Amino acid sequence: TLNKVDRTKLYGYVETQVCDEHGEPCELHTIASDGKSVVAKGGTALAMMTADGQWRKKAALKPIDPQGVTITPVKSSFDAPIQLTTKATTEEYLAHNVHLVYQLETPDDGSELLTELKSGMIYTFPFSYRGGLEASAGFLLYGAYGHVFLCVGSRTLWDFVGLQTPVSAMTDAEETSDDEEDLLDFSAL
């Protein structure tokens, strides 16, 4: 069983309700690009059109990459059992931006998988909740308080290399000279 862990469950949340002068709740409306028309909630939609203005159904569209090659969509991870064969290091896990966390309800039956997870093993696999164009990286790991978690994310686009040289503290004289150079002489304008 998957139980989504989100910020509202962890920290709670506050809802702000805007009311008019009579205490009635206000509704959000949008001003159209003509600057005169007011569009109520539900009054806009996304339409798929060809270059010559012909309507296209979403089912008739097919995804392509920047080179024009058709992309084969991935299936939902719930369509078939997932073979956990790829192990990940802590560094590989930390090199991902995690955007979803699920706490898994697992029986503590002493299974081989649970034993490996308790020992610190991390498994990784392609994960897609509903299916789509591409799968995210899924990580199965054991938490400090005895729960198994599925963390879903994408690889970061940068790597931390480290500090090249130590940073030295500036002296008061260096700070003053930099500040004086930054000043503009408004009388010269």
Side-chain angles (χ1 to χ4, degrees):
T1 305
L2 293 174
N3 296 315
K4 186 175 178 183
V5 178
D6 60 12
R7 292 178 189 267
T8 58
K9 289 181 182 175
L10 293 174
Y11 308 115
Y13 65 96
V14 175
E15 254 184 38
T16 303
Q17 185 176 26
V18 179
C19 297
D20 63 12
E21 64 274 3
H22 305 295
E24 296 295 321
C26 295
E27 294 180 6
L28 179 66
H29 287 60
T30 305
I31 297 177
S33 60
D34 64 4
K36 299 182 262 182
S37 304
V38 177
V39 182
K41 182 179 175 183
T44 60
L46 181 64
M48 307 294 173
M49 310 289 279
T50 63
D52 59 347
Q54 297 297 314
W55 181 277
R56 289 287 177 242
K57 291 184 179 181
K58 189 174 181 180
L61 302 176
K62 60 181 177 180
I64 58 171
D65 66 11
Q67 290 75 32
V69 178
T70 302
I71 298 172
T72 304
V74 296
K75 294 185 179 196
S76 170
S77 296
F78 300 105
D79 287 349
I82 297 172
Q83 298 296 321
L84 296 175
T85 56
T86 308
K87 297 175 181 177
T89 64
T90 305
E91 288 77 19
E92 289 170 335
Y93 169 69
L94 293 175
H96 286 74
N97 290 325
V98 174
H99 52 84
L100 288 171
V101 177
Y102 298 100
Q103 179 183 337
L104 280 66
E105 297 294 327
T106 56
D108 194 2
D109 57 2
S111 68
E112 184 180 339
L113 174 62
L114 196 56
T115 304
E116 285 184 342
L117 291 174
K118 284 182 179 180
S119 72
M121 186 65 59
I122 301 172
Y123 281 97
T124 184
F125 56 93
F127 180 82
S128 178
Y129 195 88
R130 291 183 182 89
L133 297 182
E134 59 185 4
S136 298
F139 294 92
L140 195 62
L141 53 108
Y142 194 79
Y145 297 105
H147 297 287
V148 177
F149 291 95
L150 168 60
C151 301
V152 181
S154 57
R155 184 147 182 87
T156 57
L157 301 177
W158 53 271
D159 291 321
F160 178 72
V161 177
L163 299 174
Q164 295 292 327
T165 57
V167 178
S168 63
M170 293 175 63
T171 63
D172 289 339
E174 290 173 327
E175 288 179 20
T176 306
S177 65
D178 287 343
D179 290 342
E180 290 172 358
E181 290 176 10
D182 291 339
L183 294 176
L184 291 176
D185 183 10
F186 288 101
S187 63
L189 299 177

